[in-house]
Amino acid sequence: DSGVTQTPKHLITATGQRVTLRCSPRSGDLSVYWYQQSLDQGLQFLIQYYNGEERAKGNILERFSAQQFPDLHSELNLSSLELGDSALYFCASSPILRGDRPGYTFGSGTRLTVV
Amino acid sequence: QKEVEQDPGPLSVPEGAIVSLNCTYSNSAFQYFMWYRQYSRKGPELLMYTYSSGNKEDGRFTAQVDKSSKYISLFIRDSQPSDSATYLCAMTPDTGRRALTFGSGTRLQVQP
């Protein structure tokens, strides 16, 4: 167990629908990252939050949004879902903005299937 | 062209073989180089990282970075069936907890 908790583990939904993915970072970690992993694109950075504030944006679609709450958990909202949004969505966390080592800890992911 | 290129494999080797996994990159600003291992249906886990050029060894794993060639490698000695996974390289300019740039991953299968 990495300490990063993601729910749900699996999600099947129809095109046009809206879903919310949830992430609880490791205890004490202030920074949360969301990544999308699809077969043809690999791991793509979506967005980063640090202590409740948006820190960096990657290739996140306008249909997608995220937030980090005061208790540091984060939610990724995906709306107007399309078949191409089917992917694994990973959350990762790290303790502080700048540390003595790079990288961060990933959760086990949410597998989203849009039908 | 992607910033980080990685052969997707699959790479199949017999147990006990030496495995070589590689990535090339184009951004000269990258200073930290990481290798993540991802088992099926699990999240990536950090195996090891190196700073700038040079080698780093951790048990059966050795990471090498050649910044002049923009080429990094991960060697696995005495490979085991439990090493069967997808290996992703990742890079970043510093430890500033920014987004990492990942390779697409190489799927490794170690046959018993």
Side-chain angles (χ1 to χ4, degrees), chain B residues 2 4-5 19 37 63 67 89 96:
Chain B
K2 293 183 181 179
V4 179
E5 298 279 357
V19 176
R37 178 175 60 196
K67 289 192 68 183
C89 61

Side-chain angles (χ1 to χ4, degrees), chain A residues 47-112:
Chain A
I47 197 164
Q48 177 194 1
Y49 278 84
Y50 175 73
N51 204 21
E53 294 195 4
E54 183 183 303
R55 184 76 183 181
K57 249 182 180 177
N59 300 320
I60 187 166
L61 300 172
E62 284 192 14
R63 300 184 285 109
F64 297 0
S65 64
Q67 52 184 326
Q68 186 179 27
F69 295 86
D71 67 352
L72 301 178
H73 92 270
S74 179
E75 293 181 355
L76 179 67
N77 301 295
L78 315 176
S79 61
S80 303
L81 285 167
E82 303 174 359
L83 295 178
D85 298 327
S86 296
L88 270 168
Y89 290 84
F90 287 105
C91 169
S93 72
S94 65
I96 54 176
L97 271 184
R98 185 171 293 275
D100 60 349
R101 51 182 289 166
Y104 26 74
T105 304
F106 282 86
S108 294
T110 293
R111 181 175 294 276
L112 173 67

Side-chain angles (χ1 to χ4, degrees), chain A residues 12-69:
Chain A
I12 301 176
T13 190
T15 54
Q17 295 298 304
R18 182 178 188 274
V19 297
T20 297
L21 313 183
R22 182 187 168 102
C23 170
S24 293
R26 285 189 319 174
S27 178
D29 284 0
L30 299 179
S31 204
V32 169
Y33 312 77
W34 285 98
Y35 279 80
Q36 180 192 57
Q37 187 177 40
S38 55
L39 279 174
D40 58 344
Q41 293 290 324
L43 265 171
Q44 299 289 314
F45 169 67
L46 294 178
I47 197 164
Q48 177 194 1
Y49 278 84
Y50 175 73
N51 204 21
E53 294 195 4
E54 183 183 303
R55 184 76 183 181
K57 249 182 180 177
N59 300 320
I60 187 166
L61 300 172
E62 284 192 14
R63 300 184 285 109
F64 297 0
S65 64
Q67 52 184 326
Q68 186 179 27
F69 295 86

